[in-house]
Structure formats: C-alpha cells, structure tokens
Amino acid sequence: MQQSERADIPQRMRAVVSYGPEDYRLTDLPVPRPGPGEALLRVAAVGICASDLKCYHGAAKFWGDESRPAWAETDVVPGHEFVGDIVALDDEARARWGVDVGDRVVAEQILPCGECRYCERGQYWMCAVHDIFGFKRAAMGAMAEYVLLPARSLVHPISASVPPAHAAFAEPLSCALHAVERAGITFDDVVVVAGCGPIGLGMVAGAAAKNPAKVIALDMADDKLALARACGADLTLNISRDDVLGTVRELTDGYGADVYLEGTGHPSAVLQGLNLLRKLGTYVEYSVFGSDVTVDWSIISDDKELNVLGAHLGPHCWPAAIRMIESGRLPLERICTHQLPLDRFQEGLDLVADGSASIKVSLLPA
C-alpha cells in the first residue's frame, strides 16, 4: 500500500489538551502518524463550538451527574469544526475519499463505528459508539497543528479559495441545515428561528432556501439580527423590546407560527417556542443545554398536539453546506468574527462565553 506524504512534516506539534473541566492547556505532543486507510491533516482552522464551551465548563452532558455517566474523556485534544490540508495518506484512503496530498478537506464530526444497529440502518449520525472528534481519545480533535483522520472519517473536499475560518463553518452550517430538514418546511409556513448565533444564522439561511411564507429571526442583539436579515430573514424581532408573541399572532391571523427552530441553548427559549407555535405546529430542538429545562408538557400534548423533534449533527447536509459556503451566499466575513492563534485558545473560549463581542470564533494553528 503506497504511502504519500509531504517531506516537511515535523515530529512534534503544539496542541490544546483537555485534562478535565476548566483545565485546558497548550501542550507539546508527537505529530500523529497515519496507519492503513488513514490520513494526516495540517489544520488550517478550527472553530470553537458552544458545545466545546459547555464541555470546558463541566456540563453534565459531557462529564456526567447522578443520572448519567461521563461521556467526555480527559487527555483529549478538543475541536470538531475544522478544515485543513492533507499532508499524508495511503492508497486505501485516497481511493475511499477521492482526495490526495495537498487537497483541502473538511471532515464530519462523528466517526461512525459501522457495526451498530444505527450504522447498519444508515443512521450513522446516531452511532451507538458515538466517537466525535475532540471528546474521545479515539477521536483526537483539531485544536492542534495536525489532526489524524481515522479510516472511519467522513471526508469532504472544499475549495482552497475559501478562507480557512469560513471553510470550518461547514460543520455548524451542516448541523443547522439538518435541523431545517427535520422541520419539513413547506411553502406556506411561517418559520421562527430562535437565536442568531452560528447555528441560528445557518438555520435562517437554510429555512430561507426552502422558500416558506416568512422567516422570522429572534435575538437580543441588533447586530446579530442585522446578520439574520443578510442570511435571508424576512423579519427580525428583538426579544428584549419587541412583542414577539403579539407580532407572530398578528402575522398568522392569531394562529401562531408553523415551525419553531431553537438554536439558543437558553432554557427560556423552549417555553417561548411552545407558546409561539400554532396547534399541530412543529418544534425542532438543536441546542446543547448547560442545565435542565422545565416546561408544562401539557402544552405539547393536550393544548396543541405539537410535533417535537430533536436534531443532532449534520447528516447528509455537508455537501449542501459546502456549496452554500463556496457560493458566497452567506456573509461569512461578518459571521466569522474572530480568528486567533492557537496559544490564545483561552481568549477564544472566553469570547464564546461572553457572546456579546463575537459570533464565530476560530483558532488558526498554522
């Protein structure tokens, strides 16, 4: 099996390593060496996701609590939103992914096992093993100068003409598009998107591409609402001062919205959505929450008989996300607000935590 690689691959690299909640450190590690069917990627950009932040702060979803075991592992390089250039691979990897040394690629965040019930049924994004880059030792992430692409990786080429931070946006955008697909939006629908962060803006763009009757974006920040309009929102409402419920009901003859897409991760957005929806409406939940959410479930059942759907990762939406990015349709120069060197990772985490000064923060390890 012929191995191709660049001659300038170093022996050591800088990488951020998670040693547990609020204990991330810049470390010197060996550069991984690809085995059969694998590839080595020189990382050009890696985004900091809200889930990265919640993991950093010790959310129970990642580190467990009295009702669930820990899912995240220590001694792991974080980072699952990444793009880079292939610097080493063999014939098996070349044939599987249709790429070669020098190609710029993105990879889906999950490494499907290929053997569980979900993988055998084609539902790979719900793989029972659920190795995701940046949370498991079996799937070291990309907050590093190099990242290994195991043979199970799902790899997609992307144009090298796209700025790295924009290309890395393929991951959150694919997730947002999957949430839109779950909603089953039709031409007559009034769609409400809660939150105009990276996921919410992707939801706005995806929902607008479905050409419904109206896309309404909600947020508390006027600058983010302006971006939502640039992404395709027909109407934007600031929840801190606008009468959102009254406006939506006025626009829908008193019935309520047909579809509500939740992308804030804030517990209050859940009840907001249940109240905004009409009877028999559709609620799609994408966010990762840092704490438990409590609502009156009789709204879902006896009051409105709602369709409540979850959305996880971005299955089958990566090609569409890449096309959208390469087309220039999104104002990515305004969405991708901060690009920092790897040694300023803590500043990046803090920017995401603050939320008021940034939208998408990326690290540029190269």
Side-chain angles (χ1 to χ4, degrees):
M1 187 70 65
Q2 183 176 354
Q3 178 86 15
S4 300
E5 64 178 58
R6 291 181 56 124
D8 57 350
I9 301 173
Q11 295 297 312
R12 310 287 297 182
M13 68 176 185
R14 297 174 308 147
V16 177
V17 176
S18 166
Y19 296 100
E22 299 193 350
D23 187 7
Y24 286 24
R25 306 175 219 161
L26 189 64
T27 309
D28 179 75
L29 295 178
V31 173
R33 297 295 165 179
E38 299 180 333
L40 184 65
L41 205 67
R42 177 178 290 147
V43 181
V46 53
I48 300 178
C49 177
S51 63
D52 291 321
L53 184 71
K54 290 181 173 70
C55 185
Y56 172 77
H57 284 302
K61 170 183 169 59
F62 300 98
W63 299 108
D65 57 18
E66 64 277 359
S67 63
R68 54 186 149 179
W71 175 69
E73 296 174 346
T74 59
D75 304 301
V76 171
V77 178
H80 58 276
E81 304 178 3
F82 61 89
V83 63
D85 302 313
I86 292 177
V87 295
L89 82 172
D90 62 12
D91 289 340
E92 180 184 341
R94 185 182 294 107
R96 182 192 310 111
W97 296 321
V99 297
D100 209 338
V101 170
D103 288 347
R104 178 153 289 184
V105 300
V106 293
E108 298 193 28
Q109 59 286 83
I110 193 166
L111 296 166
C113 74
E115 299 175 357
C116 70
R117 172 188 296 181
Y118 303 107
C119 288
E120 287 181 346
R121 292 177 177 177
Q123 299 161 328
Y124 71 91
W125 65 99
M126 297 307 298
C127 171
V129 177
H130 226 72
D131 286 335
I132 291 182
F133 282 106
F135 299 101
K136 301 283 192 176
R137 296 186 197 106
M140 290 292 198
M143 290 189 189
E145 293 178 293
Y146 293 85
V147 64
L148 182 71
L149 299 181
R152 293 181 287 148
S153 303
L154 304 172
V155 176
H156 303 275
I158 191 166
S159 173
S161 66
V162 176
H166 299 186
F169 194 70
E171 195 278 343
L173 182 56
S174 69
C175 293
L177 296 183
H178 176 52
V180 169
E181 291 279 78
R182 290 282 281 160
I185 294 169
T186 67
F187 296 133
D188 293 329
D189 284 340
V190 171
V191 180
V192 175
V193 177
C196 296
I199 293 293
L201 292 171
M203 289 174 172
V204 167
K210 295 289 186 179
N211 200 31
K214 195 171 293 292
V215 177
I216 303 170
L218 311 179
D219 204 282
M220 295 179 66
D222 288 334
D223 58 337
K224 293 180 180 179
L225 291 171
L227 266 177
R229 289 191 291 274
C231 289
D234 301 296
L235 175 66
T236 58
L237 298 172
N238 188 312
I239 63 172
S240 67
R241 62 170 183 266
D242 294 326
D243 179 6
V244 176
L245 182 59
T247 301
V248 170
R249 285 183 174 171
E250 182 180 353
L251 289 169
T252 58
D253 296 325
Y255 288 101
D258 302 285
V259 174
Y260 182 85
L261 302 171
E262 200 290 303
T264 71
H266 195 283
S268 65
V270 177
L271 181 58
Q272 172 183 259
L274 299 180
N275 288 333
L276 284 174
L277 282 168
R278 63 167 171 82
K279 294 178 180 180
L280 302 174
T282 297
Y283 180 113
V284 180
E285 181 58 64
Y286 183 81
S287 294
V288 174
F289 291 92
S291 58
D292 291 343
V293 179
T294 302
V295 295
D296 179 0
W297 276 57
S298 60
I299 300 172
I300 299 168
S301 56
D302 196 50
D303 291 358
K304 293 186 177 181
E305 196 176 318
L306 299 176
N307 299 305
V308 179
L309 303 171
H312 178 58
L313 307 186
H316 309 300
C317 292
W318 283 75
I322 292 168
R323 288 196 301 271
M324 192 174 286
I325 289 169
E326 291 179 338
S327 73
R329 288 169 52 194
L330 296 179
L332 286 170
E333 71 286 348
R334 296 165 62 192
I335 294 173
C336 299
T337 53
H338 293 75
Q339 294 88 51
L340 305 172
L342 194 62
D343 58 6
R344 292 168 62 187
F345 73 91
Q346 186 63 57
E347 181 182 343
L349 287 166
D350 293 342
L351 276 166
V352 177
D354 175 76
S356 63
S358 69
I359 296 178
K360 172 49 65 179
V361 179
S362 298
L363 303 176
L364 305 181

